[in-house]
Amino acid sequence: MNGRDEMRDRELPVNSEAELNVLGSILLMPDACDDLASILRPDDFYDEPNRLLYGHLAEMHTTGKKIDLTLLRERLMSSGDYERMGGAAFLAKVIHAVTTAAHAVHYAEIVREKATLRRLIMAATEIVKDVYAGEATAKEALGSAEQRIFSILDERGAQSLIPIRDVLHEAMDRIDARMR
């Protein structure tokens, strides 16, 4: 087997168990969203049902809506995502995936790590395609490769660097929503 075949047969890095544990942790302890929001984005989830569910949970949390199974189910049904995600069977799988929400941040870090590795693989694949296309000089190809790799870091760094006034406004909005 040559190197190309070996690479083609490999699976992208993913930890579906960690993804389910993050989601289950939120359902067990909705306040975990406070810690997870700074770590994860919906597109960090590899499995589409997990990505959709996290998007809904994060949106519910940031808009101050209570997170419980009944409200979540209603939201998913009204958006058309309930059946798309797998319905009651999927939600049951999420709920039973975790016994404690104490390790939610640890699971989130695993999910984020795998997402970063997938982004790196995709960037490297694009770099290889560009080089084989032969449309750029070596210097241009290196510049493009560098830009792609650094954009992965920037993407992560930009998420953690938020102006303090935005953080304060968001925190105040959450506090107001919870007070109501």
Side-chain angles (χ1 to χ4, degrees):
M1 176 181 285
N2 69 35
R4 266 192 300 187
D5 291 336
E6 183 180 320
M7 293 305 289
R8 203 172 314 150
D9 294 339
R10 298 193 93 175
E11 303 227 357
L12 290 173
V14 63
N15 187 323
S16 296
E17 187 177 334
E19 289 187 10
L20 288 174
N21 275 290
V22 166
L23 299 169
S25 294
I26 294 170
L27 291 175
L28 278 178
M29 190 175 72
D31 288 344
C33 281
D34 290 334
D35 296 327
L36 301 178
S38 65
I39 299 171
L40 291 175
R41 303 181 313 235
D43 67 344
D44 287 334
F45 288 80
Y46 181 77
D47 295 324
E48 183 183 12
N50 298 346
R51 185 173 40 254
L52 288 170
L53 181 56
Y54 183 76
H56 283 284
L57 291 169
E59 176 69 22
M60 290 172 79
H61 179 72
T62 54
T63 58
K65 293 188 173 58
K66 184 168 173 50
I67 295 175
D68 72 25
L69 203 51
T70 302
L71 296 172
L72 175 63
R73 185 175 173 270
E74 181 62 34
R75 177 186 173 98
L76 293 172
M77 290 179 89
S78 67
S79 71
D81 286 337
Y82 185 70
E83 291 303 323
R84 185 174 163 196
M85 290 172 28
F90 173 70
L91 288 180
K93 180 179 170 183
V94 170
I95 291 166
H96 296 296
V98 66
T99 56
T100 178
H103 306 294
V105 169
H106 176 69
Y107 297 132
E109 288 170 348
I110 293 170
V111 171
R112 181 182 63 193
E113 175 79 7
K114 298 299 182 184
T116 301
L117 291 172
R118 287 191 304 273
R119 287 182 183 99
L120 181 59
I121 289 169
M122 289 186 200
T125 301
E126 290 301 313
I127 292 166
V128 169
K129 284 180 187 176
D130 288 351
V131 170
Y132 274 119
E135 296 172 4
T137 66
K139 188 174 183 174
E140 290 169 339
L142 280 169
S144 175
E146 182 179 271
Q147 184 177 13
R148 282 191 172 114
I149 300 299
F150 283 129
S151 74
I152 296 168
L153 290 172
D154 288 344
E155 195 175 282
R156 278 289 161 212
Q159 185 178 353
S160 61
L161 297 175
I162 301 170
I164 190 70
R165 75 173 169 276
D166 294 345
V167 172
L168 289 174
H169 285 294
E170 184 179 324
M172 293 305 290
D173 289 345
R174 277 194 210 144
I175 291 168
D176 286 344
R178 287 189 182 172
M179 295 286 283
R180 279 185 253 124

